[in-house]
Every structure is written in structure tokens, then in C-alpha cells.
Amino acid sequence: MTSNRWIALLLGLLLAFGAAAATAAGPAVLEPGVERLALTPHLSYGIDETGRADASAMFARASRGDFKPLPGDSAAFGFTQGAYWFHAPLFNQNPAEQRWLLVLHYPLLDNVDIYLRYPDGRVEHMASGDTLPFSARSIRYRHPNFWVTLPQRTEVELLVRVASRSSMQVPLALYTPTAFAELERDSQFGIGLFYGILVALLCYNLVLWLSLRDASHFWYMFHVTGFGLVMFCLNGLAFEYLWPNSPWFANLAIPLSMAVSQVAMHQFCRVFLELETRQPIANKISLALIGFFLLMGLATFVLDYRTVVRPMTLAVFPGALFILYLAITSIRNGYAPAKVFLMAWAFLLLGTALYASVSFGLLDKNFFTEYGIQIGSAMEMILLSFALAYRYARLRSENERLVREHNEQLERHVARRTSELSTALEQLAEANQRLRESNRRDALTGLFNRRHFRDMFEQQLHQANEHRQSLGVLLIDLDHFKDVNDTHGHLAGDECLRWLGRCLHDNLVDHGALLARFGGEEFVVALPDITGDRLVQVAEQLRLKICGEPVRYAGNNIRISASIGVFLLRPGAGLGVDDALHQADDALYMAKNRGRNCVHAAEGIS
């Protein structure tokens, strides 16, 4: 054999070894103490272009090493054909957890099937996706999710099949129940804050439109509503709360809301920038874009999902560039309000472009690409309100100039318009005040929310240290609250939370307590200048009050109880807010372990 043939053989062996190594993804090891694990680095994938392969065939392909690592460790593939299969071995070394929640953090996938193959050959199969009713999910959550059992020190093969007409994004992660509860609590807070901003701005501009009858405010409200509906669908919340039993309409609502949002966006641009008089040619192009999105909105009722969504998503890019061009041109032509308009739309269009880039697989899925559209849109809505106010300030300046140039009759007319503008500005201040107050309060119970509690608690802690006083912390959690929701319904559960808020206020207000809803069915109380024995006594009295009086709702007497964790911050201890909350949370955990409906004080409280 010649030297060239030996070299070719050696290169072939090296390439074969490299290919085998590339397809061998390391197992996902759940180490002790790990509560969450992203599976993307451990996944390999294979494509079933016909969509007809079964799990046994794909398990065999994975065993032969036919699956490939994810390209660039990215789980986003854009719009694809056929079915995608993902494989990963799971090895649980965490002795404290055998039951894990597998979450696919993308709500728009049509069909998601998971298969778990155990060492004894047993295969478990579960299905989810937005072609099934929302009740098919393991827990009521906007993303597809599955409870999986992973025995300790046992390798379990995970195989996931995904087929969808929307963008193929498969960011899989495993969570312990506790870790998932914390994740959901934080995400729900962020989502609630986002929609709170949208609702506040919508109401504020509704008041302005009703009083001023200005078209800009009407189309602004239309834009806020359309964009809010798009985000409600893209976040999976519309399927969860509006039509959980209608997968057909859940898929239809996404392109339909996209069309409404785009129509509102371009129409508001036309009105605000006054394109009809200032840029007639651009006005015709904008009308053509509106016509296109209206046509695509009607097409959602007769055409395939992907046939409608893909061109609309592609149209986001030229639409974004066109609006930026209009804003820049308006600024060059001396239209001053376009400056704030440009700032506002730059935030929105950047966020939208990031989201659309993930849909087509151009960018990886991360915090900024997943939530950039929410952040950008919230900034855009706020800045557009400033732009409208600036626009009216400009009108006021024009009116003042008209006062100087025209006769007394015009002067009276300008005075009336100025008065209307003053009323609008006063309404803006009142709306902003209401918005600030609503951001401090929990909408359901009327107590302070968690963020405001932290701010106030830091002030109390500082004062307590200055005056050498103790500061008590109670962390209260309703026992078996899920059973209340399951038995009596979520409205009854809401009434229980409201009742508990009133109970806390009535029993602790005389103590100068700081009360807040901590999240879900958890409440937190800070009691200034109190001894350890007295703090435990107050907590026990409160527990007896909660379990001793039923909640009356719809003719039913609902018995509830609570577990309470108690911690006392002593002056000079050097502990901060997070330390105090962690200590109280540990005490609450011990109260739960003792059988619930009890009070547990942290060590050294007496």
C-alpha cells in the first residue's frame, strides 16, 4: 500500500472518529443540590422529514449515533418541515429529588411528544402542544410541561418529538417543583408588570381621547390593544386563559392578532406623523402595507397557519425599516414630535426584530431575544405617551403664537384650547399617580406587593438598627391551597386570599405591621419593636384566627389553615433583608414539615 493510501486511510479514520465524537452528547447529570438544568447542551437531534417515524425507530437511530449535536448549541431552527427528534440521556444523582418537571419554554408548538426509556425497557409516553386542549398539560402553565420520574443513580433516555407549523424552538429544561415555583413566581411578576403598564396606558389614553377626541390617541389605544393581544398569544397566556378548550382558535388567534397589531402600528404612524399632508408618497406605501396585513388577517380563516405567519413575520423587517425611514425624514423636515417618536419606535422595532430573528433561527434564544419585545414595547408605549404630550405642547406653542398674531376672537379660541390641554396634562398627572399607586399594591388583596414591601422593609431595618430595636418577620403560607382551587374553583381561592388579607390587616394593624402579599398564597409581615416571645404569641394568635373562622363564599363555608415561619432580627446582627426573608422561609419550611397549621420559630428567637 502506497504512502498516499495510508495517509487517506488515516484521515478517514480521524474524520470518522471526529464525527462519532461530535454526535456523542454528554449525559445530562443532575448533581446533588441542582434544582434546574438546561438540556440544550446535552441534546442531539435527528430529522424525520416525513413525520411518520415512531419512537422505537428513533431510539435505535440515537443508539447508532445517527443523531447530531445541536448546531451552535442553539435549540432554534426557524420554520421547518417534518418532525424533529431530540435525544438526551438523563442521570439523576440528586438524592432529594426523583420527580422533575420537564418544561419546553416556547408556547407555540403544535405537537410535542416525549418518551422516557428506563433500563428495564419500559417506555413512558406523554403528549402536549397547542393542538391539544390546555388541560392535557401536566400543570396549568403557558409552556408545554411534563412530570417525569428519574430514579436515583439510574440513566433514563429522553426522546422528544416536535412537529409544528410555527417556528421550531425547543429550549428544554428540568426543574424541581420548588425551583419551578420560584421561576414562575418571578416570570408572573414580570408579565403582570408588563400588562399592567399596557392597561394603565390604555386607560389613560382612553380618557384623553374621550375628552380631546384626537385621532392620535384613538389609534394609539388601537395599537396598545393589538400589540397587547399579540403578546398575550405569543406568551401562551391567551391559550391558557381565553380559549383553553379550543386549540383551533388558539392557532388562529396568533396570525389574526399579528395582523391587527401591524394594521394599528402603521395606522398610528400615518396619523401621528401626518403623512397624508407631509409625505403623500410615503402615505400611499403605508396604506399598501395596511392593506397587505388586512388581507393576511382575512386569509387566516382560509389558509394554512405557516402560509400566513411566515410572510407576515418576514414583513416585520421591511415594515420596521420603513417606519424608521419615515421618522428620520419627518425630523429632517422639521417635525419636532418625530424625535420622541423615533426613540419610542426604536425600542419596539429592536425588540420585534430580535424576536423575529429567533423565529427564523438567525439568533439564539436568550433573555434578551425572548423578552426583548416585552421590554421594548413597554418602553415604546411610555415614550409614545411622552410624544403625544410633546405634540400637544407644540400645539400650545402654536396657539400662543396665534394669540399674538390674530384678533381677540382667535385669542378666545386659543385660550379654550389651552384650557383643554391643561386638563389633559392634569389627567396625565392623575393617571401617573394612579399608576404609581397601583404598582405598589397587589390587585387582589389590596396589600402591598412584594417589591414595595422590600423597599419599606429596608427602611424599617435601618430605623430599627438606629434605635437598637428588634424587628420581627412572619412568613405565612396557606396550607393545601391547591385543594381549595380544585374543590371550590379559582374564584373561591381568590376570595380566600382576599379574606386572609383583611384578616392580617384587622389583627396586625394595631401592632404597626407592614403587610404584603409575597406571591401566590404566601404573605409576609414585618413587626417593629417587638420581643421574640411576643412575636411568637402574635403568630399563634393569628394562626388560630385563620383556622378558627371559615371563609364564606357562594353559600359555602371554606375552612383554611396556615403555616407560619417566625424570625426576629436583633439590632447589630448585621443581617440584611434577604437574610431575614431566608430565615423566615426556612422556619416556614420547618412548619410545613411538622404537618402544617402550626407556627415554627427560627433558632435563637427567644
Side-chain angles (χ1 to χ4, degrees):
M1 182 178 293
T2 65
S3 61
N4 289 338
R5 294 181 65 185
W6 275 108
I7 293 173
L9 179 60
L10 180 60
L11 288 174
L13 291 174
L14 289 173
L15 289 173
F17 176 79
T23 58
V29 180
L30 300 165
E31 302 283 354
V34 171
E35 294 187 339
R36 62 187 70 186
L37 180 66
L39 296 183
T40 300
H42 308 281
L43 291 175
S44 57
Y45 79 103
I47 303 175
D48 173 21
E49 296 180 354
T50 65
R52 298 176 181 174
D54 58 15
S56 59
M58 301 310 288
F59 270 123
R61 283 184 57 182
S63 300
R64 293 195 303 268
D66 292 344
F67 277 32
K68 299 179 293 184
L70 297 183
D73 284 335
S74 172
F77 295 85
F79 290 93
T80 61
Q81 299 289 339
Y84 274 58
W85 293 78
F86 301 87
H87 177 267
L90 309 177
F91 191 78
N92 184 17
Q93 291 185 346
N94 190 334
E97 296 289 349
Q98 294 192 18
R99 192 165 184 253
W100 296 75
L101 188 67
L102 177 65
V103 181
L104 202 165
H105 288 288
Y106 185 63
L108 305 184
L109 297 173
D110 293 341
N111 299 99
V112 182
D113 295 87
I114 74 162
Y115 301 86
L116 295 169
R117 185 165 70 176
Y118 293 88
D120 59 3
R122 175 172 53 91
V123 176
E124 288 187 4
H125 169 242
M126 288 172 278
S128 185
D130 58 14
T131 59
L132 299 176
F134 196 83
S135 58
R137 302 185 179 187
S138 295
I139 61 173
R140 290 187 57 84
Y141 184 56
R142 55 197 177 94
H143 293 162
N145 57 86
F146 312 87
W147 282 118
V148 296
T149 301
L150 302 176
Q152 185 183 0
R153 305 195 64 80
T154 300
E155 183 173 294
V156 178
E157 284 190 79
L158 171 68
L159 189 66
V160 182
R161 179 188 185 274
V162 181
S164 183
R165 294 166 295 176
S166 62
S167 174
M168 181 68 68
Q169 302 178 38
V170 194
L172 289 162
L174 281 169
Y175 298 90
T176 65
T178 301
F180 178 76
E182 294 176 354
L183 169 74
E184 176 58 9
R185 178 193 61 200
D186 295 339
S187 64
Q188 288 295 90
F189 173 77
I191 290 173
L193 182 62
F194 170 75
Y195 288 109
I197 292 173
L198 260 62
V199 171
L201 292 173
L202 178 66
C203 295
Y204 156 63
N205 281 275
L206 175 62
V207 172
L208 289 181
W209 177 69
L210 291 175
S211 60
L212 303 175
R213 297 294 178 180
D214 180 58
S216 296
H217 289 286
F218 175 81
W219 292 114
Y220 177 83
M221 291 189 302
F222 189 20
H223 165 62
V224 171
T225 303
F227 200 87
L229 182 59
V230 169
M231 296 310 304
F232 213 58
C233 293
L234 293 181
N235 289 335
L237 296 171
F239 188 28
E240 180 177 358
Y241 292 107
L242 300 183
W243 36 78
N245 297 318
S246 179
W248 172 81
F249 194 76
N251 279 278
L252 180 70
I254 296 171
L256 193 60
S257 62
M258 288 177 62
V260 171
S261 173
Q262 291 295 312
V263 168
M265 181 174 73
H266 287 282
Q267 179 61 18
F268 175 76
C269 176
R270 285 185 63 249
V271 174
F272 185 88
L273 296 179
E274 301 175 1
L275 296 184
E276 189 172 1
T277 56
R278 295 177 179 274
Q279 302 183 56
I281 297 177
N283 181 59
K284 293 179 181 179
I285 298 174
S286 185
L287 286 173
L289 287 171
I290 291 173
F292 166 76
F293 286 111
L294 282 173
L295 182 63
M296 297 306 293
L298 295 174
T300 58
F301 294 96
V302 293
L303 296 181
D304 178 72
Y305 175 92
R306 183 176 296 178
T307 305
V308 177
V309 168
R310 186 161 185 167
M312 277 202 293
T313 307
L314 285 171
V316 168
F317 293 98
L321 295 175
F322 179 64
I323 290 178
L324 286 175
Y325 165 78
L326 293 178
I328 294 171
T329 303
S330 297
I331 294 172
R332 289 179 175 176
N333 293 337
Y335 187 57
K339 295 178 181 178
V340 185
F341 178 90
L342 177 62
M343 291 176 57
W345 285 101
F347 279 104
L348 174 65
L349 298 176
L350 177 61
T352 304
L354 288 174
Y355 186 88
S357 298
V358 175
S359 297
F360 284 97
L362 302 178
L363 293 176
D364 293 341
K365 192 179 185 72
N366 55 46
F367 176 82
F368 293 103
T369 55
E370 182 176 5
Y371 294 105
I373 192 168
Q374 284 97 327
I375 299 171
S377 60
M379 291 297 301
E380 177 256 354
M381 305 294 180
I382 295 171
L383 287 174
L384 281 183
S385 289
F386 293 156
L388 290 171
Y390 179 74
R391 184 170 178 264
Y392 272 94
R394 187 171 177 268
L395 290 175
R396 182 175 61 183
S397 298
E398 290 182 3
N399 288 337
E400 292 173 351
R401 180 178 59 83
L402 289 174
V403 168
R404 294 189 300 267
E405 295 177 354
H406 293 281
N407 56 29
E408 191 172 346
Q409 181 182 0
L410 287 177
E411 183 178 353
R412 291 193 297 268
H413 175 71
V414 170
R416 187 177 69 252
R417 292 294 301 274
T418 303
S419 175
E420 293 173 353
L421 181 58
S422 298
T423 302
L425 293 175
E426 290 175 1
Q427 293 170 344
L428 172 62
E430 293 174 0
N432 286 336
Q433 179 61 32
R434 291 195 298 272
L435 177 60
R436 286 193 295 268
E437 181 62 24
S438 65
N439 285 338
R440 297 172 54 197
R441 297 285 179 177
D442 172 58
L444 181 63
T445 63
L447 301 180
F448 289 127
N449 58 30
R450 181 174 182 174
R451 186 173 72 174
H452 184 68
F453 173 83
R454 286 183 62 89
D455 295 338
M456 297 298 294
F457 190 51
E458 285 182 352
Q459 296 178 18
Q460 285 195 347
L461 181 57
H462 180 71
Q463 293 174 359
N465 286 330
E466 280 188 348
H467 295 89
R468 305 297 296 172
Q469 295 175 345
S470 297
L471 185 61
V473 181
L474 304 181
L475 200 57
I476 304 155
D477 186 26
L478 287 179
D479 299 326
H480 305 294
F481 186 69
K482 183 177 182 298
D483 294 341
V484 174
N485 285 330
D486 292 343
T487 304
H488 301 281
H490 287 277
L491 293 180
D494 289 347
E495 179 59 27
C496 290
L497 293 176
R498 283 191 289 267
W499 179 92
L500 181 54
R502 294 192 297 269
C503 178
L504 293 176
H505 179 271
D506 294 341
N507 288 273
L508 299 178
V509 67
D510 292 338
H511 297 274
L514 174 64
L515 311 173
R517 184 180 178 190
F518 202 63
E521 62 270 22
E522 283 190 347
F523 294 76
V524 65
V525 178
L527 293 163
D529 193 15
I530 192 170
T531 64
D533 293 337
R534 179 57 179 157
L535 181 61
V536 173
Q537 182 182 4
V538 169
E540 183 61 23
Q541 291 172 350
L542 181 62
R543 183 192 68 81
L544 294 175
K545 179 68 176 178
I546 294 171
C547 66
E549 183 178 341
V551 179
R552 294 176 176 82
Y553 178 78
N556 295 320
N557 289 335
I558 304 173
R559 291 285 180 179
I560 61 174
S561 65
S563 301
I564 303 177
V566 180
F567 178 69
L568 186 68
L569 265 167
R570 301 185 186 277
L575 298 179
V577 172
D578 290 332
D579 299 320
L581 293 176
H582 281 309
Q583 292 285 349
D585 189 54
D586 291 341
L588 174 61
Y589 182 77
M590 294 299 298
K592 290 288 187 182
N593 283 346
R594 288 172 51 192
R596 294 181 170 84
N597 192 20
C598 64
V599 174
H600 184 83
E603 285 188 27
I605 194 172
S606 300

